[in-house]
């Protein structure tokens, strides 16, 4: 069984030459990781962190095709000498059930080196998404303890429940603001119930718990629903993202901006900046947006375009102010 790899592409030594492809690590499945998903992230020491949807040796019901295990967060340490091997360490194996299951990758590292992420399943066992997934996902933190030999412990920040007051099944990652709040999206649930944009506020001295706030609930009528991409922030604190589906007519996805309250006691305001209606221009965006220096937005769509793939082969697009 092919379990996935972590690889490196190195630039050519001479202009016009070929890039060099190197496999840094081969996943083994079982108690090791299986099926890596999402982005990798570096820490300040050059270590790489990522997540796999399966593997890890815990849980038995998270996948009907592979080993059933519920996924991992892993760390790759670079070699001490040039040309040496990268070494892997499993930081956490998800157990399913009330624990998280099937992490979606897209990890972020906090100022203290703690790791934050989301799982698309697990958590609330009364909340089933379908397709064999049990639970509507979690937000988690992995805390490092150097005193105990570089061990990591998991803390669940939130269990999603896919109700009118909460979202369910987050498919993307989290992003920090300058105050240490975390922002993310859920695929479904919320007051819409076409998914949400949410904020997780760090614990206060009074509660000692992270607090979730729904900033927007997509309803499938206003311009889009089912967000699947990690959000980005601009300098004013506004959030930008995409929805996988649109609403009405031929709309198949959208780009949106969510502005913070002005003054603070009012609700966040959503503006749909673009709706995907033209097959040639792309359909079903699910990747995170990026800014350029002029505040143009760029990302990709999964389908559409001008090639002859079934449904189109996808596009790279720009949305300009």
């Amino acid at each position: 069984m092919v379990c996935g790899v972590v690889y490196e592409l190195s630039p050519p030594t001479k202009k016009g030459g070929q890039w060099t492809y190197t496999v840094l690590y081969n996943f083994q499945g079982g108690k090791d990781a299986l099926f890596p998903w999402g982005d990798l992230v570096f820490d300040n020491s050059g270590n790489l962190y990522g997540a796999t949807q399966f593997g890890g040796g815990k849980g038995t019901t998270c996948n009907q095709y592979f080993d059933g295990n519920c996924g991992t967060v892993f760390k790759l340490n670079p070699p001490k000498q040039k040309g040496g091997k990268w070494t892997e360490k499993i930081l956490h194996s998800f157990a399913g059930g009330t624990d998280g299951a099937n992490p979606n990758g897209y990890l972020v590292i906090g100022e203290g080196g703690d790791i934050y992420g989301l799982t698309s399943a697990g958590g609330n066992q009364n909340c089933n998404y379908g397709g064999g997934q049990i639970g509507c996902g979690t937000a988690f933190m992995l805390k490092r303890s150097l005193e105990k030999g570089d061990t990591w412990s998991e803390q669940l920040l939130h269990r999603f429940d896919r109700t009118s007051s909460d979202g369910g099944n987050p498919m993307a990652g989290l992003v920090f603001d300058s105050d240490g709040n975390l922002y993310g999206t859920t695929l479904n649930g919320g007051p819409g119930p076409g998914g949400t944009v949410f904020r997780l506020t760090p614990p206060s001295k009074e509660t000692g718990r992270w607090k979730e706030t729904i900033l927007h609930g997509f309803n499938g009528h206003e311009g889009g629903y089912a967000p699947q991409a990690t959000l980005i922030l601009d300098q004013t604190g506004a959030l930008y993202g995409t929805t996988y589906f649109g609403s009405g007519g031929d709309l198949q996805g959208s780009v949106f901006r969510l502005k913070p309250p002005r003054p603070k006691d009012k609700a966040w305001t959503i503006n749909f900046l673009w709706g995907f209606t033209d097959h040639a221009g792309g359909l079903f965006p699910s990747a995170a947006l990026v800014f350029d220096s002029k505040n143009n937005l760029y990302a990709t769509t999964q389908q559409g375009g001008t090639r002859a793939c079934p449904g189109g082969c996808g596009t790279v697009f720009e949305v300009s102010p």
Side-chain angles (χ1 to χ4, degrees), residues 55 120 128 133 201:
S120 60
N128 298 337
Q133 283 190 316
T201 305

Side-chain angles (χ1 to χ4, degrees), residues 8-295:
E8 172 188 272
L9 284 175
S10 305
T13 55
K14 295 182 179 180
K15 187 176 181 180
Q18 288 188 337
W19 287 62
T20 302
Y21 174 85
T22 305
V23 173
L24 305 184
Y25 186 75
N26 281 285
F27 295 104
Q28 306 299 312
K31 290 185 178 181
D32 189 25
L34 167 65
F35 199 29
W37 194 263
D39 296 336
L40 296 168
V41 59
F42 277 106
D43 66 12
N44 293 330
S45 300
N47 302 303
L48 276 170
Y49 298 82
T52 64
Q53 287 203 315
F54 311 118
K58 290 186 178 180
T60 58
T61 61
C62 289
N63 186 267
Q64 59 182 317
Y65 302 108
F66 298 113
D67 58 10
N69 298 156
C70 296
T72 72
V73 172
F74 66 87
K75 173 183 177 182
L76 287 178
N77 298 302
K80 294 181 179 180
Q81 296 180 346
K82 187 176 182 181
K85 291 184 178 181
W86 289 67
T87 56
E88 184 214 29
K89 179 182 178 69
I90 300 296
L91 306 186
H92 182 72
S93 294
F94 293 93
T98 55
D99 188 21
N102 310 122
N104 55 36
Y106 313 108
L107 304 171
V108 290
I109 299 177
E111 290 185 0
D114 299 329
I115 298 171
Y116 298 80
L118 296 165
T119 68
S120 60
N124 184 348
Q125 293 298 282
N126 296 319
C127 177
N128 298 337
Y129 176 53
Q133 283 190 316
I134 301 175
C136 279
T138 68
F140 66 87
M141 175 180 71
L142 296 182
K143 192 169 186 64
R144 185 182 185 186
S145 175
L146 293 176
E147 297 177 355
K148 297 182 179 180
D150 192 23
T151 59
W152 295 73
S153 58
E154 181 202 29
Q155 176 186 345
L156 287 182
L157 310 183
H158 184 72
R159 289 185 175 97
F160 298 95
D161 61 21
R162 199 161 61 98
T163 63
S164 60
S165 59
D166 194 12
N169 305 108
M171 303 301 288
L174 295 165
V175 59
F176 275 109
D177 69 8
S178 58
D179 295 323
N181 300 305
L182 288 164
Y183 298 84
T185 61
T186 63
L187 179 69
N188 50 47
T196 68
V197 175
F198 65 86
R199 178 180 64 207
L200 291 172
T201 305
S204 64
K205 293 181 179 180
E206 291 76 15
T207 66
R209 298 189 302 271
W210 286 72
K211 177 185 177 183
E212 186 210 32
T213 303
I214 301 299
L215 306 183
H216 183 76
F218 297 94
N219 59 30
H221 303 294
E222 59 190 348
Y225 63 99
Q228 294 192 24
T230 302
L231 301 166
I232 61 173
L233 283 150
D234 69 11
Q235 295 180 346
T236 70
L239 297 163
Y240 295 75
T242 62
T243 66
Y244 193 73
F245 296 113
S247 58
D250 296 324
L251 186 60
Q252 300 294 342
S254 68
V255 178
F256 67 86
R257 176 180 61 205
L258 197 59
K259 289 185 176 181
R262 298 289 190 270
K264 291 184 177 180
D265 59 347
K266 292 185 179 180
W268 289 61
T269 304
I270 193 164
N271 301 107
F272 287 91
L273 308 180
W274 184 255
F276 293 88
T277 58
D278 180 9
H279 190 281
L283 306 170
F284 308 120
S286 64
L289 298 161
V290 293
F291 281 115
D292 68 8
S293 60
K294 297 181 181 179
N295 292 324

Side-chain angles (χ1 to χ4, degrees), residues 293-306:
S293 60
K294 297 181 181 179
N295 292 324
N296 299 308
L297 291 163
Y298 300 83
T300 60
T301 64
Q302 289 192 345
Q303 293 186 31
T306 58

